[in-house]
Amino acid sequence: MMDTILISLQIVLAIVGVYQFGLALFGMYKKKKKVHFPPTKSFAVLVAAHNEETVVGALMENLKQLNYPKELYDVFVICDNCTDRTVDIVRSHGMTACVRTNENLRGKGYAIEWMLKQLWKMPRQYDAVVMFDADNLAHPDFLSEMNNDLCSGARVIQGYIDTKNPEDSWITAAYGISYWYCNRLWQLSRHNLGLANFLGGTGMCFETELLKEIGWGATSLVEDLEFTMRCVEKGVHPVFNYDAKLFDEKPLTFKASARQRLRWMQGHFTVARRYFFPLLWQSIKERSMVKLDMALYGVNVYIVLLTFLLTALIWVDQSFFNGPNFATLYGYLPLWVSFIAIAANVFIFLAAMVLEEVKSKKVYAYLVLFPLYLISWWPITFYAFFTQNNKQWSHTEHTRVVRLEEVQSKQG
């Protein structure tokens, strides 16, 4: 019975792995034809900030320089429980600082929900809402790209999240590699296939009417994933705009990274519990590949957990009990299958870097440590499983002041 259960689990994990790898192959190409529209859509640009005096000024300068008519967008910075000079810096740049103080309901999801209520009360109403984090930098054409997608009928749009400091440490390099992979071989592949894309927490655009229609309601530790699931459940498919780039600061140290990823996994467990089975059932009932794919993405946190537990079980059995004492999938397969699986994992990340034209020799050198970053997801996810009911939001401190010109010069 134990062998049957373990083999069944390994087969399910193998099928999911092959599915994800096959899906990634559709991100190898980019569609060249693209429709451009004149700038007509108006935007409320929301920036979530909590004690961001170090970096918020650079973003304010950046948003002034967007290649979009100034009369068609306004910037609102949500100064959420700030105790530093964030408010003063925002106002010194001529932007609107919206001060929120609520010690009980902390976190970006609650801050956004509060800000949207304020926005709906204002005399001017906008066609769409764009959301950034305070440490971001946006490509000058970001709003133009959002305008193109909105005019094409999109209601929820995710931009390309890049890393503005991939060379700072091996951790930031690992984040960079992960995001290049996700943008090119997860997001673009789904976009090419007409599947729903997932939101990334920043660089997001929402049609105002949609937000008013279904409300925000995303207040978990991963408000972006939660809203993605709600959209797909209601038949609204978020799209991905490859050309709408923004640059996000990544944590410099492993400790800060682990704390951030723990919060993500804790929230991911919550969202998976809430949405996996409803989406799975809808996908079967409606024969919807879009909803099935999103259900699999939502349950991915459990897939990571099961992979860790099975790997640990096999290792302990062989290291301490003269195993194998139970059946494994590899016992029924030739040895070369294992090598192909390992090579495929190496290839997929290298392919993403080559396709994204990464030129930094330093980042390529950090690839040696990238497996440590990947393996570290296992204990983080394991710990998150037992602490998933912890709803305490933790702030990631941002200290890296970078201008867009510096990022683009390094990329060029």
Side-chain angles (χ1 to χ4, degrees):
M1 178 64 72
M2 179 61 72
D3 283 351
T4 302
I5 292 172
L6 291 174
I7 288 293
S8 299
L9 283 175
Q10 291 172 67
I11 290 173
V12 169
L13 294 176
I15 291 172
V16 172
V18 171
Y19 169 75
Q20 295 290 6
F21 182 82
L23 200 66
L25 298 179
F26 289 90
M28 297 288 180
Y29 66 95
K30 290 187 293 183
K31 296 179 180 179
K32 293 183 179 180
K33 289 185 179 180
K34 193 167 187 178
V35 181
H36 295 272
F37 294 86
T40 57
K41 300 295 184 179
S42 59
F43 296 93
V45 180
L46 307 188
V47 179
H50 171 70
N51 290 344
E52 301 287 7
E53 63 179 8
T54 305
V55 295
V56 74
L59 176 60
M60 296 300 99
E61 294 173 11
N62 169 238
L63 293 178
K64 292 177 186 177
Q65 299 168 10
L66 297 180
N67 296 331
Y68 202 75
K70 298 298 181 282
E71 67 274 11
L72 287 180
Y73 73 96
D74 293 314
V75 178
F76 302 91
V77 180
I78 315 166
C79 302
D80 186 40
N81 293 297
C82 290
T83 56
D84 63 354
R85 294 180 56 250
T86 299
V87 174
D88 296 332
I89 293 172
V90 170
R91 289 173 178 167
S92 71
H93 284 275
M95 305 299 191
T96 304
C98 302
V99 180
R100 174 184 182 264
T101 303
N102 190 323
E103 291 294 332
N104 296 320
L105 301 178
R106 298 172 62 86
K108 189 165 72 171
Y110 289 112
I112 291 172
E113 190 166 51
W114 173 85
M115 185 65 229
L116 290 176
K117 290 178 182 177
Q118 309 307 309
L119 200 63
W120 306 153
K121 297 175 186 176
M122 294 181 183
R124 181 180 186 182
Q125 294 297 292
Y126 303 86
D127 295 313
V129 176
V130 168
M131 298 182 190
F132 290 118
D133 288 340
D135 61 297
N136 293 167
L137 295 170
H139 188 280
D141 294 332
F142 191 91
L143 290 185
S144 296
E145 292 294 336
M146 296 295 111
N147 177 76
N148 290 335
D149 281 349
L150 289 168
C151 291
S152 298
R155 306 190 75 186
V156 182
I157 310 153
Q158 175 60 56
Y160 183 117
I161 304 177
D162 207 339
T163 307
K164 72 180 184 182
N165 59 329
E167 295 185 345
D168 282 358
S169 70
W170 75 275
I171 282 293
T172 61
Y175 270 99
I177 296 166
S178 297
Y179 273 77
W180 293 319
Y181 163 72
C182 286
N183 281 302
R184 187 60 189 254
L185 302 181
W186 276 51
Q187 293 280 49
L188 186 60
S189 58
R190 282 171 169 80
H191 179 75
N192 288 339
L193 290 169
L195 299 173
N197 289 102
F198 49 88
L199 298 173
T202 186
M204 306 176 289
C205 179
F206 307 89
E207 182 192 62
T208 297
E209 288 305 312
L210 176 67
L211 286 174
K212 289 182 177 180
E213 177 186 324
I214 70 174
W216 177 246
T219 55
S220 69
L221 294 177
V222 284
E223 73 290 332
D224 48 357
L225 178 62
E226 185 178 1
F227 195 84
T228 302
M229 296 293 175
R230 288 184 61 218
C231 283
V232 174
E233 193 176 41
K234 295 178 182 297
V236 178
H237 302 164
V239 302
F240 176 62
N241 191 310
Y242 181 89
D243 298 307
K245 285 198 173 186
L246 67 141
F247 302 89
D248 187 44
E249 180 186 329
K250 301 307 177 188
L252 297 174
T253 65
F254 180 83
K255 182 179 180 181
S257 165
R259 186 167 58 245
Q260 182 185 64
R261 289 184 286 152
L262 175 63
R263 172 169 57 84
W264 290 347
M265 291 297 99
Q266 288 169 334
H268 206 139
F269 274 115
T270 301
V271 173
R273 290 200 317 268
R274 189 179 304 168
Y275 290 98
F276 171 66
F277 285 110
L279 277 174
L280 181 63
W281 171 244
Q282 286 181 23
S283 71
I284 297 170
K285 187 178 179 181
E286 301 170 16
R287 298 181 181 179
S288 171
M289 189 62 198
V290 173
K291 291 187 176 181
L292 176 61
D293 178 68
M294 192 53 63
L296 289 176
Y297 178 71
V299 82
N300 190 57
V301 66
Y302 282 99
I303 293 171
V304 174
L305 178 63
L306 283 174
T307 303
F308 170 58
L309 292 176
L310 282 172
T311 303
L313 179 64
I314 293 170
W315 179 79
V316 169
D317 178 55
Q318 294 185 346
S319 300
F320 299 100
F321 299 99
N322 298 318
N325 294 302
F326 52 84
T328 65
L329 191 59
Y330 288 109
Y332 295 93
L333 298 172
L335 186 61
W336 57 265
V337 173
S338 302
F339 290 109
I340 287 181
I342 295 170
N345 281 294
V346 174
F347 163 78
I348 209 73
F349 287 103
L350 275 174
M353 295 177 69
V354 172
L355 289 167
E356 295 306 273
E357 300 179 356
V358 178
K359 295 180 173 62
S360 172
K361 294 180 180 179
K362 194 172 184 180
V363 173
Y364 277 101
Y366 278 135
L367 268 173
V368 177
L369 297 173
F370 186 62
L372 294 178
Y373 172 80
L374 293 179
I375 291 172
S376 69
W377 281 99
W378 286 354
I380 288 171
T381 304
F382 181 74
Y383 184 66
F385 176 76
F386 293 100
T387 58
Q388 59 185 281
N389 292 324
N390 175 21
K391 300 298 189 293
Q392 184 177 358
W393 174 74
S394 59
H395 175 242
T396 302
E397 185 178 358
H398 300 115
T399 59
R400 190 73 162 86
V401 182
V402 183
R403 279 2 187 232
L404 185 61
E405 298 77 15
E406 182 182 344
V407 176
Q408 290 177 326
S409 66
K410 286 185 177 180
Q411 286 192 339

